[in-house]
Amino acid sequence: MSQQQPERRQEGQNAEPIKYGDVFPVVGELASKTVAPRDAAMMQTAENAVFGQTQKGGPAATMQSAATANERAGFVGHLDASDVAKQQGVIVAETEVPGACIITESVGEQVVGQTIQPKPVVQGEQESITQGGTTGIGGSGATGKVTIGEALEAVAVLAGDKAVEQSDAAAIQAAEVRATGNTGIVPGGVASAAQSAASMNAQTTPDQDKIKLGDVLTNATIKLPADKEATRQDAEGVVSAELRNNPNVATRPGGVAASVVAAARLNEGKQC
């Protein structure tokens, strides 16, 4: 075989390879996979196709740094790729919404990065746009600002297949409190559904049987008794709730906190 073999590890080099779980908030099989050179090359190609260049500090750059360290330490060869990247793919997908473009970067089926790029809103543009079967955040009302409810609905699209965990439920509750001004859980609301889902999922072993974010957050704007434009203060409250309830003390790309933060930044006219 012509594939280059990993070099022998030298004294002083890393004792363990850098895995996806070390550099991204991912779970399951992907978290235990070693970041390989071909994975990084695929993400760089995908980023170049969408952005026109590799993003500084983005997933491709992070993967390249980890893969280079793993190759130098002899854990992988230059042409190696992880099973997840080979079988499930490395994807950078664009979702057009009024006033912005949401760019989601994934390895397999897990999000490793997300960017929102503001763009001019065309007069008469629909408040909700679907392209290629993907729906994203849409501006509401006369101001065209993104509401907290719409940010939650975006999570149902971008991370709808993720099982609800306690950190998600806490973030959803914080978002509901901010949207409604009611400090208690609204009976039959999204926070109540999320908390029930998180409790049930903690006692459920098969992932396919767990309640997903999409089950809880689809049509969130309808389920909320009140809604409001997402602000920086709202985002800070939701981020704090998700961090406090995540054992890894991190927010998840494409998750509840990330979506509310993106909505708040978009409302302020800032590019992520």
Side-chain angles (χ1 to χ4, degrees):
M1 296 179 64
S2 61
Q3 180 170 331
Q4 179 178 335
Q5 297 299 313
E7 298 177 0
R8 182 187 299 272
R9 292 193 296 276
Q10 299 178 0
E11 184 177 355
Q13 291 181 322
N14 294 337
E16 295 290 336
I18 300 173
K19 301 180 176 64
Y20 277 96
D22 297 325
V23 291
F24 296 115
V26 295
V27 296
E29 181 185 10
L30 180 61
S32 64
K33 293 296 182 181
T34 298
V35 183
R38 290 300 302 165
D39 298 15
M42 285 188 281
M43 184 61 83
Q44 285 180 323
T45 299
E47 280 195 5
N48 287 336
V50 173
F51 294 104
Q53 61 182 3
T54 301
Q55 296 298 287
K56 183 178 181 180
T62 299
M63 290 168 65
Q64 183 60 59
S65 178
T68 298
N70 286 338
E71 184 178 356
R72 287 176 177 171
F75 291 112
V76 293
H78 187 63
L79 300 179
D80 286 351
S82 68
D83 293 340
V84 173
K86 285 191 295 185
Q87 297 171 8
Q88 301 181 34
V90 172
I91 301 170
V92 178
E94 295 180 275
T95 303
E96 298 288 341
V97 300
C101 177
I102 302 175
I103 301 174
T104 305
E105 301 182 57
S106 307
V107 176
E109 298 181 350
Q110 297 199 50
V111 176
V112 295
Q114 189 178 70
T115 304
I116 290 188
Q117 296 185 334
K119 65 176 185 177
V121 178
V122 178
Q123 186 174 4
E125 188 175 21
Q126 294 179 345
E127 291 186 357
S128 179
I129 295 178
T130 301
Q131 290 194 349
T134 303
T135 303
I137 298 174
S140 68
T143 63
K145 296 295 183 67
V146 182
T147 69
I148 292 174
E150 288 173 327
L152 294 179
E153 288 183 346
V155 178
V157 174
L158 298 170
D161 293 334
K162 177 188 176 296
V164 181
E165 300 177 6
Q166 186 55 48
S167 59
D168 302 315
I172 291 169
Q173 181 177 348
E176 182 180 87
V177 167
R178 291 281 182 168
T180 64
N182 188 340
T183 57
I185 294 181
V186 178
V190 291
S192 175
Q195 188 58 62
S196 296
S199 298
M200 291 182 63
N201 286 348
Q203 303 174 43
T204 304
T205 301
D207 287 341
Q208 63 269 25
D209 294 339
K210 294 183 178 182
I211 301 172
K212 307 299 192 293
L213 283 170
D215 300 325
V216 173
L217 296 178
T218 298
N219 296 324
T221 53
I222 298 175
K223 298 173 184 177
L224 288 171
D227 203 0
K228 66 181 287 290
E229 299 169 3
T231 67
R232 182 185 304 178
Q233 291 71 30
D234 298 328
E236 290 173 352
V238 176
V239 168
S240 178
E242 188 167 318
L243 288 174
R244 288 197 309 270
N245 290 273
N246 188 326
N248 296 322
V249 195
T251 59
R252 182 177 298 279
V256 178
S259 187
V260 177
V261 168
R265 286 178 174 170
L266 185 58
N267 288 344
E268 291 182 347
K270 294 182 179 180
Q271 181 171 337
C272 295

